[in-house]
Amino acid sequence: MGHGDTHTDISRFDTEVYADRLRRAAALTAAAGLDAIVVGTGPDLQYLTGAVADTFERLTALVVPATGTPAVVTARLELASLRASAIGDLGLTVRDWVDGDDPYALALQGLPDDPALGVSDALPALHVIPLAQRTAQPVTLATPVLRELRMLKDPAELDALRTAGAAIDRVHARMGEWLRPGRTEAQVAADITAAIVAEGHHRAEFVIVGSGPNGADPHHEQSDRVIQRDDIVVIDIGGPVGAGYNSDCTRTYCFTAPPADIAEAYAVLERAQAAAVAAVRPGATAQSIDAAARNVLAEAGLGEYFIHRTGHGIGLSVHEEPYIVAGNTDRLRSGMAFSVEPGVYLPGRWGARLEDIVILTDEGPEPVNTRPRTLTRL
Ligand code: ZN
Ligand code: ZN
Ligand code: ZN
C-alpha cells in the first residue's frame, strides 16, 4: 500500500495558499460568533496548514481565533514534524507541551475568559470534554466554518483534483492488463493496487472489484471469487495524489457481448449519469442532481435498483460535503467538486456503476475523468 503511514512524501501548496485559508477561517469564525475554533489532526488540519499529523491521546490542535495570530498546540515530540509542514513558514504561534503540562490551558491562552469555542468534528471527545470544562459557554461544532471552507475548493485544490482524475484514468486505461476471466477478484485487485501507486498515487485508498453477482452489492470490495467470462465487473478505485487530494472513479467492464437486457439497462445508466452531470450548474440544489439521475432510471423501470445516493463531495477526504442526495437543498456553487455515480444493482445477478468526479466551474460542469463511459468490453 505504498509508503507506510508517515506520508512525508505528501506535498503541500505554497505557503500563501494556507495563509489565505487561515485568514478566511478567522473571518468565518468571527461571523459564526465564535472566539476561536480548535482544529484537531486529520484532513481539517491538513487543509489549513498542510500538516499531516496523526495524534490521538496527546493533544495536537490548531487554534484559530476570530482575531489575532493562530496558534498550534502540540506535544513536544510532534514538534519537528509540524515545523517541517507549512506551519514552520506561516508565522503561527507554536506552544509545545510535555507530559504533565495542561495542553488545554495552552490552547485557550490569549483568548477571552469563557471563550465561545467551536471544535472540529474529528476532535476526540477526550479533548473536547476538558476544553468544555474550561469555559462557561457551550462548546459547539466548528463544522459550519470548516465545511464552508473545504466545500469551496480554491484553484490549487481544483488542479490537484484534476491531477488525481488523470492518474486514476490511467489506471482504468490499463484495466485489460489485469482484469480477465479465470483470475480472482483479489488477484485483480492486487494488480490494480500496485498500478494505482505506479500511476502517481500515494496509496490505494479503496479497490472495489465486484464481479457477477458481487457487482450487485455496492459495498462489496473484493473476494476470492473467480471471474467468469460472462460476468459484468464493477471497478471502483481511488486514492490520494500530491498534496493529499483523492481520485475516485468507477467503470464497468465485460468480456463478451452482454445480453440485451443488460445492454439496455446499462444504456439507461449512461443516460442517467449524463443527465445528472448536465444538471450541474451554480444555484441548482444538490438534491436536484440526484433527482436528475434517479428520474431517468425510474422512467425506464430501473428506479428500484438504484439504491444509494448519487454522489459525495471529494477533496482531502474521499467522502465530504456536499452530499448529492435527496433532502439536501444546499445550492451548488462554483468551486465545488463531487462525484456523480448512479448505479443499477440486480440482486444476485449483476450490477453496474458509472462514476466521474465533477468540478463545478463558472463555465459549468467539468468532469475530471474522461475515460469512455460505455460498458467497456475488454
Ligand atoms: Zn505517501
Ligand atoms: Zn467510487
Ligand atoms: Zn465515489
Side-chain angles (χ1 to χ4, degrees):
M1 298 283 265
H3 333 251
D5 48 23
T6 53
H7 288 280
T8 48
D9 60 331
I10 287 183
S11 58
R12 55 181 166 94
F13 300 125
D14 292 343
T15 302
E16 183 50 38
V17 169
Y18 299 103
D20 175 60
R21 292 175 185 175
L22 287 168
R23 280 192 294 271
R24 288 187 283 138
L28 288 168
T29 297
L34 298 169
D35 292 306
I37 59 170
V38 181
V39 179
T41 56
D44 290 323
L45 183 70
Q46 194 181 351
Y47 174 83
L48 289 169
T49 66
V52 182
D54 187 14
T55 62
F56 187 75
E57 80 277 14
R58 289 190 173 90
L59 179 71
T60 289
L62 170 73
V63 182
V64 182
T67 57
T69 307
V72 173
V73 176
T74 184
R76 190 160 297 161
L77 53 88
E78 303 283 342
L79 199 55
S81 68
L82 283 178
R83 283 202 192 284
S85 74
I87 286 170
D89 306 325
L90 281 163
L92 307 186
T93 305
V94 176
R95 300 181 194 131
D96 62 320
W97 58 275
V98 294
D99 291 340
D101 289 347
D102 179 355
Y104 309 104
L106 281 178
L108 302 187
Q109 222 174 67
L111 297 178
D113 287 344
D114 294 321
L117 297 176
V119 295
S120 62
D121 55 14
L123 190 69
L126 83 115
H127 300 312
V128 174
I129 303 293
L131 281 169
Q133 287 167 339
R134 284 163 177 79
T135 175
Q137 298 208 54
V139 171
T140 59
L141 285 171
T143 311
V145 173
L146 294 165
R147 177 178 181 279
E148 179 70 12
L149 288 168
R150 286 183 54 192
M151 205 162 55
L152 293 177
K153 268 71 180 176
D154 53 40
E157 294 180 284
L158 296 178
D159 278 344
L161 287 168
R162 291 182 182 107
T163 300
I168 207 66
D169 279 3
R170 291 195 297 274
V171 179
H172 272 294
R174 294 177 54 192
M175 199 55 63
E177 294 178 33
W178 322 295
L179 180 54
R180 284 192 300 275
R183 306 192 76 206
T184 68
E185 292 176 352
Q187 288 170 333
V188 173
D191 290 339
I192 293 173
T193 298
I196 285 173
V197 174
E199 295 296 347
H201 296 79
H202 293 294
R203 64 180 184 278
E205 191 70 26
F206 53 93
V207 176
I208 293 176
V209 180
S211 66
N214 290 340
D217 172 11
H219 283 143
H220 178 79
E221 291 182 14
Q222 53 196 251
S223 75
D224 290 327
R225 183 180 183 276
V226 176
I227 296 166
Q228 306 296 306
R229 174 149 294 279
D230 59 355
D231 279 350
I232 306 297
V233 187
V234 177
I235 305 283
D236 186 354
I237 51 179
V241 167
Y245 286 76
N246 283 283
S247 63
D248 182 5
C249 182
T250 309
R251 290 293 184 267
T252 300
Y253 297 91
C254 61
F255 312 102
T256 59
D261 62 326
I262 293 180
E264 281 164 26
Y266 190 90
V268 175
L269 176 64
E270 238 187 294
R271 282 196 283 120
Q273 203 261 358
V277 172
V280 172
R281 58 187 157 70
T285 60
Q287 68 176 358
S288 74
I289 310 308
D290 182 83
R294 208 166 292 280
N295 290 345
V296 172
L297 288 161
E299 280 164 22
L302 294 170
E304 67 179 292
Y305 303 116
F306 177 25
I307 53 176
H308 55 71
R309 66 187 176 212
T310 292
H312 54 82
I314 191 165
L316 290 169
S317 303
V318 177
H319 293 164
E320 57 182 54
E321 302 273 1
Y323 290 99
I324 308 301
V325 61
N328 185 356
T329 56
D330 287 352
R331 294 191 182 277
L332 301 179
R333 285 176 279 171
S334 182
M336 289 181 172
F338 46 84
S339 71
V340 176
E341 51 176 306
V344 288
Y345 308 96
L346 282 91
R349 294 184 53 210
W350 66 281
R353 182 162 61 257
L354 176 54
E355 174 180 30
D356 291 322
I357 301 304
V358 175
I359 292 171
L360 177 51
T361 73
D362 290 333
E363 282 72 50
E366 176 196 330
V368 304
N369 304 107
T370 58
R371 294 287 304 157
R373 297 182 177 87
T374 48
L375 179 55
T376 301
R377 187 168 164 182
L378 295 177

